[in-house]
Amino acid sequence: APTTSNNDSHNNHLANDESALITRARHRQHVEAAVRALQRFEQLSKQGTYGLDMAAEELRLAASELGRITGAIDVEDVLDVLFKDFCIGK
């Protein structure tokens, strides 16, 4: 009998759960990116201390993606605006 992976199970749950409906394409892209980062975190965290730094980075990326939906301001975003719009250092 065919089996489904964890990814398929998570995707099916989201597709069948009306409360998880995301109507804005931008929000959907950020949620999907966060899910991918969390999946990479899950794989890296199984590598023990070898993958710990990379696993932590995946958590940071997932949080950053969700922060883009909730309006959380990231330090990197502020620096990007400062250097782009105010020409600091020129």
Side-chain angles (χ1 to χ4, degrees):
T3 61
T4 60
S5 69
N6 284 342
N7 294 344
D8 292 339
S9 174
H10 292 298
N11 291 339
N12 288 338
H13 175 71
L14 288 176
N16 295 327
D17 186 0
E18 290 183 34
S19 65
L21 181 65
I22 301 172
T23 59
R24 294 190 175 164
R26 182 180 68 84
H27 290 179
R28 185 182 334 271
Q29 291 169 349
H30 291 303
V31 168
E32 289 170 352
V35 167
R36 287 190 302 272
L38 290 172
Q39 289 168 339
R40 290 188 302 267
F41 163 78
E42 183 178 27
Q43 292 301 313
L44 289 166
S45 66
K46 293 176 184 175
Q47 296 178 8
T49 56
Y50 175 74
L52 191 58
D53 289 345
M54 293 188 309
E57 177 63 13
E58 294 301 336
L59 282 180
R60 188 193 69 76
L61 290 172
S64 177
E65 290 295 336
L66 294 176
R68 293 176 187 273
I69 296 169
T70 63
I73 297 175
D74 186 73
V75 172
E76 292 173 16
D77 293 335
V78 172
L79 291 175
D80 286 345
V81 170
L82 285 174
F83 283 105
K84 184 179 107 193
D85 294 346
F86 298 105
C87 301
I88 292 178
K90 286 189 175 182

